[in-house]
Amino acid sequence: MYNSYENLPEDFRLLSDEALCARAAGGDRVAEEVLVTRYNRLVRSCARPYFLVGGDSEDLTQEGMVGLIKAVREYDADKAATFRTYAEICIRNRLYSVLRAAAREKHKVLNQSISLDTPDFDSNSYTSGTNHLEQRNPEDDVIDREHTAALLTGVRKQLSEFEAKILEYYLDGLSCREIAETVGKSPKSVDNAVQRIRRKVARQLFSGDVSKR
């Protein structure tokens, strides 16, 4: 597996996502690895909100990767959506599935996890991949957009200026080292800020003080 985009073969780096998917469908594992490396940050950005409210970061990232690989192997270029759109849907669906399963097993923390960001893709694209939106149950609060926006608004009011900046970079999928380089702080300082944010998110969530604006 290539651990950074710069280490990818140059001829593959120049290929579009769709061209790489076509190669991967033909059994080209290098093309598949290139796409996984290219979208590693997207996986992290999808999984991180759940980590902030108590999920296991590594486990959730791995589950997100499963969704990404599914997208690479099943993407149909004839559908009316880009690969990025389809990949994000597959990643989020995988995470939602894991969270619902955890809820059914009475895993308290994951049962109360909710997403802190709003998908920016059209949920009508690839409708076969978004059927979970059509059959809501109590566990589906994990994808309630109004609840999500309210929680995030409440949490931000409790953050310092530095923590708020770290939160935005963190939810965008940057690693602690990348954030540290961006803000001119040490990785340890960034990690400490993330842990403080987690504690504040947990207090906001478990207090039930999630009021709508």
Side-chain angles (χ1 to χ4, degrees):
M1 174 69 68
Y2 298 98
N3 56 19
S4 73
Y5 195 74
E6 290 73 20
N7 292 334
L8 300 176
E10 184 173 1
D11 55 332
F12 280 87
R13 275 189 287 165
L14 298 175
L15 292 174
S16 68
D17 295 342
E18 290 72 21
L20 287 168
C21 279
R23 290 198 180 194
D28 190 331
R29 296 282 75 85
V30 174
E32 183 175 288
E33 288 189 16
V34 170
L35 278 167
V36 169
T37 301
R38 186 178 288 181
Y39 280 91
N40 181 54
R41 180 171 165 180
L42 175 62
V43 171
R44 294 200 307 265
S45 70
C46 290
R48 279 179 169 175
Y50 302 110
F51 167 67
L52 288 177
V53 292
D56 183 279
S57 179
E58 185 63 26
D59 286 350
L60 289 171
T61 299
Q62 290 301 316
E63 293 295 344
M65 282 294 181
V66 171
L68 175 59
I69 292 173
K70 171 184 171 65
V72 172
R73 296 180 177 179
E74 298 184 1
Y75 177 69
D76 184 349
D78 291 332
K79 298 277 184 144
T82 63
F83 172 74
R84 180 184 175 85
T85 294
Y86 185 58
E88 186 166 355
I89 289 172
C90 288
I91 293 166
R92 291 184 186 278
N93 281 353
R94 179 70 184 186
L95 291 170
Y96 297 153
S97 177
V98 169
L99 292 168
R100 285 197 298 272
R104 286 195 296 270
E105 293 171 10
K106 308 302 181 181
H107 289 179
K108 181 178 179 181
V109 175
L110 284 180
N111 186 33
Q112 296 180 352
S113 298
I114 73 172
S115 174
L116 295 181
D117 58 343
T118 301
D120 58 5
F121 53 79
D122 180 0
S123 61
N124 292 320
S125 299
Y126 282 86
T127 53
S128 61
T130 56
N131 288 338
H132 66 283
L133 295 174
E134 299 173 1
Q135 298 179 342
R136 294 183 61 83
N137 55 56
E139 286 92 7
D140 285 330
D141 283 340
V142 298
I143 54 175
D144 186 289
R145 294 188 182 187
E146 291 186 3
H147 194 122
T148 293
L151 177 67
L152 184 52
T153 297
V155 168
R156 280 176 167 152
K157 292 177 181 178
Q158 302 176 32
L159 301 181
S160 67
E161 183 178 348
F162 177 67
E163 290 167 346
K165 183 183 298 184
I166 297 302
L167 175 61
E168 295 310 312
Y169 285 128
Y170 191 76
L171 291 178
D172 198 34
L174 273 69
S175 68
C176 284
R177 184 170 298 278
E178 290 170 334
I179 297 173
E181 292 174 353
T182 300
V183 300
K185 298 290 185 178
S186 69
K188 181 63 175 176
S189 176
V190 171
D191 184 65
N192 287 340
V194 170
Q195 297 310 316
R196 291 196 300 273
I197 292 167
R198 290 191 76 191
R199 290 193 290 271
K200 292 179 181 181
V201 169
R203 286 198 297 269
Q204 179 81 3
L205 182 62
F206 298 139
S207 70
D209 183 18
V210 183
S211 58
K212 297 179 181 179
R213 291 189 296 175

